[in-house]
Amino acid sequence: MLVKRILIVGGGTAGWMTAAALAHKLGSTPVEIRLIESAEVGTVGVGEATVPHIRHYNATLGFDEAEFMARTQGTFKLGIEFVNWGRIGDSYIHPFGAFGGDIGGVPFHHQWLRMRQRGPVPDFEAFSLPVQAARRGRFRHPGTDPASPLNSYNYAYQFDAGLYARFLREYAEARGVQRKEGKVVDAALEGESGFVRSVTLENGEKLKADLFVDCSGFRGLLIEQALKTGYEEWTHWLPCDRAIALPCANEERIAPFTRATAQKSGWVWKIPLQHRCGNGHVYSSGFLSDEDALETLLGAIAAPPMAEPNRLRFVTGKRRRQWVGNVVAIGLSSGFLEPLESTSIHLIQLAIGRLLDLFPTQAWDPLDAEEFNRLMAFEYERVRDFIILHYHATQRDDSDFWNHCRTMRLPDSLEYKMALFRERGVVVNYRDGMFLEPSWLAVYLGQRVLPRHADPLAEKVAEDQVLAAMAAMTARNIAMADGFPTHEAALAELAAAAAA
Ligand SMILES: Cc1cc2nc3c(=O)[nH]c(=O)nc-3n(C[C@H](O)[C@H](O)[C@H](O)COP(=O)(O)OP(=O)(O)OC[C@H]3O[C@@H](n4cnc5c(N)ncnc54)[C@H](O)[C@@H]3O)c2cc1C
């Protein structure tokens, strides 16, 4: 028998994404879903860039893209541009899509590496259609014909997180989720099981439930403050621990991508939305003062700020367990990896999916929690390694921060991945997961990590054949990207559809 009452503690992006998804999935059951949030506490107020998986979440809930984009002031995102990471002056885009196509049955990057060892070749990004479109400020929805290059990429969104939460709230409330305003001040645990039985609000009211979803943000009200689960800290690999967010007006053109520009002791993000541009500086307090960080950010933004700086502190890492007893932590309460690859909302989505896959019954099989924790730990560690790669694979030596990142000891899992790539261009592949081969290639090659050898099987295709295939790919990408509508035209078309 399913659990009967669910209480979600927290109404940020995590709380409302969870509420909406549970309402959708459990709608036809007698399960009662309540959400408590506190205007006094507020939300973290950032989190604007996503990865393509969000489209699946939206589609599952049946959102219309035009309405969603209009309601959230959303823009399209073809990838992330990384500026000044490998060396000052470098720029590459990590797109949501493939580079080139196999030549003679050999993965494209091996043929490119082989040709590169013989002489000059076009940059790796010339072989990516979404990068070519992004560089031109153009966007087109991918196609469905498997033979077309239009099927070689995906896209995500950049949106106003506050508006998204409001949109989700409407959806969830329309499907029976009961929202309550109030501040949780205490949690009552049952002695023997250690299960949370109720939470108490500031006004003395007690709220009981069977399953508690802790979406209370960095505090981890239930998972940490009540259950003392413990935190696995990763600051020795990812030393950034602070951020300042500061929106400003948009430039004339709205880029269909997020930009991450490396600075002396961190990096600055730029996330263009329809109604404004989100900016922020993620930095390490061990290497940079808060005042200098603000100065760096003010120097990096394109227009005067539209709000007061929002200052945030965080500790990179994850809870030792994210499901303990009858409490499941989702969102910032479960851990945090800095936003360099826009992964937090995706980790929320993953946790919701896993919770639904392993949805508890009143028997509370401990294996459900064990499997949830195993899967989430796996995802966190994979994302962690990918983000560390950006910091470590650098030739920058212009600050103590970069000297630390370049020379630090890596997690064994990443050491292994990099060793395999450096030797002969092998990307450690997963059957599933967030960042697959094209993503690793974008960062390795974009940050000057070059293998010693290409796959020897690449030699089975004659050089002139490879060069001709490469020339055809670059010409086709340019011609196609030139034919895409501008990002602004694509947004206007969607806005017209929403209005209609
Ligand atoms: C600098 C920075 C940049 C980021 N950028 C991105 C990005 O580009 N892309 C991305 O995917 N993610 C990003 N993130 C992460 C993203 O912001 C979060 O994953 C997302 O907002 C979810 O937050 P949350 O809902 O877990 O927590 P919060 O937004 O903090 O919400 C917590 C909720 O709990 C409630 N609450 C807390 N205490 C109590 C209490 N005592 N009683 C009642 N209610 C309570 C609060 O009122 C609030 O409703 C970023 C994070 C940071 C720090």
Side-chain angles (χ1 to χ4, degrees), residues 9-15 36-39 41-50 161 182-185 215-219 221 243 269 271 282 312 314 330-333 336 339 342-346 348:
V9 179
T13 309
I36 176 116
E37 64 180 323
S38 158
V41 177
T43 64
V44 71
V46 279
E48 300 174 328
T50 61
K183 188 171 170 189
V184 174
V185 290
C215 297
S216 63
F218 286 129
R219 293 168 192 80
L221 266 185
W269 80 73
I271 305 177
V282 173
L312 300 140
F314 53 85
I330 297 185
L332 298 173
S333 62
F336 183 61
S342 323
T343 42
S344 281
I345 293 175
H346 178 62
I348 294 171

Side-chain angles (χ1 to χ4, degrees), residues 227-248:
L227 295 173
K228 315 270 183 264
T229 303
Y231 198 75
E232 190 175 332
E233 193 181 324
W234 291 333
T235 15
H236 46 296
W237 290 313
L238 292 167
C240 290
D241 57 356
R242 291 199 186 173
I244 310 175
L246 197 57
C248 73

Side-chain angles (χ1 to χ4, degrees), residues 75-86:
T75 55
F76 293 113
K77 174 179 173 188
L78 287 166
I80 304 177
E81 182 189 17
F82 290 91
V83 180
N84 295 342
W85 285 80

